[in-house]
Amino acid sequence: MQKSVLRGRSAARRTITDLIDAAATGTGGALLLHGELGLGKTALLDDGSVTAAAHPAGFTVLAAKGLPDEADLPYAVLHRLLEPLAGRIPPLPGRQGDVLTRALGGEGCPEPDRLVLCRAVLGLLGTAGTGRPLFCRLDDTHAADPPSLDVLAFAARRLRPYRVAMVLAGDAAEAVCDVPALGLTPLDETDSLGLLGDLVPDGLPADTAAALARLARGNPQALTDLATTLTPAQRYGDEPPPTALPPDGVLGRSYRDRLRRLPAETRWLLLLAAADEALDQFGLVRAAEASGTRLTALAPAELAGLIRVDAHRVGFPQRLLRTLAYQQAPLARRSRPGGTRRPDPRRRPPGRLSAATAPDPGLPTGTAGPAPRRAPAPGPDHQHRTRPATASGRTPGHRRRRPGRTARRRTGTGRRTRPRQCPRPRRRPVPYGRRPTRSGRGLRDRLGGPGTRRPAHRRPDRRRARRRGRSPARRRGPVRLAGRRPAACPPAALPDRRHRRGPGGAGPGPAAERRDGPPHGRRR
């Protein structure tokens, strides 16, 4: 593996070089580099140190780095940065030397002496740069102890009259206020492929290099970790390229270390965000409220650049970070049921007695044990629920409801239930002979009775009756409809001639029945 060059960082390198040249001529200044982890901030500081050391003016390089283990030690970073200048502290005017000596010696600095301490550090850098200019670099400002960072920020804003160039590097631009800042962005595809070519001298197949560039998302450190983990078969294209960043690489170890140092509430919110890739800002707020966690606990992760929250989505700078945030959480937290769900207000919480595992010794005898359920209050609703259902799915007295509609009704237990949906009953087919007509006249014609008209095929034919020598009006017998039995007519409705031959005039004789008979039974 060859040593990689800084691809895509020409603008940042030019800015640092200009700062060094200005400090060599007597105009000092400071610069803050910020960006997510792995974008090359440390590489730019190293390049600046090499440039300053090789400058004709002969810069003195002072370097320090913020360490998480020393973040709780006041003035630990300041002690490391100013250690090469310890011999120049006593000549400082007034109380500045004493205050700075006590602060670097671990005695701290009282609140009234903080301004004196800041002036002492600025004076020390100014006097040290009179002979040879100074190049001060501070890496990982997010991990530096706050007292040291405050003092160095005070000095960085007042370096113009001195031959001092200071470059700070951190994750967020808010670490140092009122200092010129330069943000670093991911590399484009061309620079990513060029960096892979520098890392692998033998070259990579085009499809393999393109897949690695897409996987790294323009992160130089991610590209470096991927290039170092390639097998010979993957380099020659005989095997598919990796599909995920190596968790044991430099980037993975850095992410794991940062996640481990976050507070427990912050790690819980990161777990909620890592579990759902489609989570947005409002969903994260609801999940935090449902789990009883304050949303302000996410601030350390945002300041460290571990998560990005906007109105549309909650994302991580690298998919590896999402995976580590989920895998590093304990199994009990990952499998916590309902951790992101709001409790259902319709569900009745169990009573304290029902949750007891043993009788309470303080209760009287006979009262210990789970509380029985309250029986539903009697009423029409209760009767409806207790009646058995019929074969049609309806209970006696059940109120018919429109199909597809449901309603909620209160029961005696205080719960909301859904009543049974009643299907619409199917109508029975009506026979054709009994089907009513639209007009009353047709109804009378079909049913028969007084005032009815005979069907057309049953009406008497006058011409046929005249041929037989009898009038159509003399045709006897009731009207017989198709499919119906002859209607019974009272004797008074029959002609008087039918009653003449009976004995005593009480009824027709047998001869009359044989002669007149039913009109429809007679042979025509």
Side-chain angles (χ1 to χ4, degrees):
M1 306 295 292
Q2 285 185 347
K3 182 180 179 180
S4 62
V5 297
L6 293 178
R7 295 275 183 171
R9 298 290 181 251
S10 57
R13 296 181 62 186
R14 190 181 310 111
T15 303
I16 296 176
T17 302
D18 295 342
L19 181 66
I20 294 174
D21 294 339
T25 59
T27 304
L31 178 65
L32 173 64
L33 301 175
H34 63 90
E36 67 182 44
L37 189 64
L39 287 183
K41 299 183 295 293
T42 304
L44 286 173
L45 291 178
D46 296 338
D47 184 79
S49 301
V50 173
T51 303
H55 198 275
F59 277 78
T60 301
V61 179
L62 302 179
K65 180 181 180 180
L67 299 176
D69 296 335
E70 299 180 358
D72 298 334
L73 300 178
Y75 307 109
V77 171
L78 192 63
H79 176 272
R80 188 172 183 178
L81 183 67
L82 301 180
E83 187 176 5
L85 305 179
R88 298 177 179 265
I89 295 178
L92 293 177
R95 301 176 47 245
Q96 296 181 9
D98 298 338
V99 173
L100 182 56
T101 301
R102 290 198 302 269
L104 297 181
E107 299 179 10
C109 179
E111 188 68 25
D113 295 338
R114 290 187 58 187
L115 181 58
V116 178
L117 177 62
C118 294
R119 291 187 59 186
V121 173
L122 180 60
L124 178 62
L125 295 178
T127 56
T130 54
R132 296 177 58 183
L134 297 180
F135 179 78
C136 304
R137 49 168 290 182
L138 175 61
D139 197 3
D140 294 342
T141 57
H142 55 273
D145 60 281
S148 298
L149 192 59
D150 293 342
V151 173
L152 292 177
F154 178 89
R157 291 187 286 264
R158 295 166 174 81
L159 291 178
R160 187 174 183 83
Y162 307 102
R163 301 176 64 189
V164 179
M166 183 179 295
V167 181
L168 312 173
D171 293 339
E174 295 79 8
V176 181
C177 301
D178 201 16
V179 173
L182 178 62
L184 301 182
T185 58
L187 303 179
D188 55 12
E189 186 178 0
T190 303
D191 293 331
S192 298
L193 295 178
L195 180 57
L196 285 175
D198 298 335
L199 294 172
V200 183
D202 299 337
L204 294 172
D207 54 347
T208 302
L212 296 181
R214 288 192 302 268
L215 181 59
R217 298 183 180 181
N219 192 298
Q221 187 61 53
L223 289 171
T224 305
D225 293 343
L226 289 172
T228 55
T229 56
L230 289 177
T231 62
Q234 290 175 339
R235 292 182 184 179
Y236 293 109
D238 298 335
E239 293 181 359
T243 58
L245 295 178
D248 295 334
V250 177
L251 194 61
R253 292 195 301 268
S254 301
Y255 278 144
R256 191 181 295 107
D257 184 67
R258 293 194 181 189
L259 290 173
R260 181 175 55 86
R261 298 181 184 277
L262 290 176
E265 294 183 350
T266 306
R267 293 197 303 270
W268 167 248
L269 294 181
L270 288 179
L271 175 61
L272 296 180
D276 187 2
E277 295 186 3
L279 191 67
D280 56 356
Q281 176 184 358
F282 305 102
L284 182 60
V285 171
R286 292 192 296 267
E289 292 179 355
S291 61
T293 306
R294 298 175 301 174
L295 195 62
T296 55
L298 195 62
E302 291 184 281
L303 294 178
L306 300 179
I307 192 171
R308 301 170 181 172
V309 182
D310 53 19
H312 302 286
R313 60 186 299 270
V314 178
F316 292 83
Q318 290 289 338
R319 189 172 185 85
L320 174 62
L321 180 57
R322 179 188 294 273
T323 304
L324 293 176
Y326 185 80
Q327 292 180 351
Q328 278 201 286
L331 180 60
R333 285 242 170 182
R334 281 183 286 170
S335 60
R336 176 180 177 182
T340 61
R341 297 180 182 177
R342 186 184 298 272
D344 191 356
R346 298 174 298 178
R347 188 183 296 269
R348 185 181 180 185
R352 287 180 295 177
L353 289 180
S354 62
T357 58
D360 191 351
L363 293 177
T365 305
T367 61
R373 286 189 176 272
R374 182 165 57 93
D381 200 13
H382 172 67
Q383 296 176 3
H384 163 67
R385 287 185 290 100
T386 56
R387 289 177 181 177
T390 60
S392 62
R394 302 177 60 184
T395 56
H398 181 71
R399 181 179 178 183
R400 181 173 174 269
R401 300 179 182 273
R402 297 178 60 185
R405 295 289 187 90
T406 57
R408 293 177 181 270
R409 56 187 175 84
R410 290 277 187 179
T411 61
T413 57
R415 298 182 179 179
R416 292 179 181 266
T417 59
R418 299 175 69 132
R420 180 183 304 161
Q421 293 187 2
C422 300
R424 184 186 294 274
R426 299 179 58 184
R427 296 183 179 180
R428 297 180 179 178
V430 181
Y432 176 77
R434 299 183 181 181
R435 186 173 299 172
T437 59
R438 295 185 179 181
S439 62
R441 181 179 177 182
L443 180 64
R444 290 194 302 268
D445 292 344
R446 290 181 180 276
L447 300 181
T452 60
R453 287 182 65 188
R454 295 179 183 178
H457 64 281
R458 294 300 183 187
R459 294 174 188 172
D461 190 352
R462 297 178 183 274
R463 290 179 295 180
R464 184 182 301 177
R466 288 192 189 98
R467 294 192 197 104
R468 296 183 181 182
R470 50 185 304 184
S471 173
R474 295 184 60 186
R475 189 168 184 172
R476 301 175 181 86
V479 177
R480 183 174 180 178
L481 301 180
R484 294 179 60 87
R485 300 179 60 182
C489 297
L494 299 176
D496 297 339
R497 191 168 62 87
R498 299 185 62 181
H499 298 274
R500 290 178 184 177
R501 298 186 61 176
E513 286 187 18
R514 288 195 300 267
R515 182 179 65 250
D516 295 336
H520 299 289
R522 219 192 264 181
R523 182 179 301 176
R524 298 181 180 178

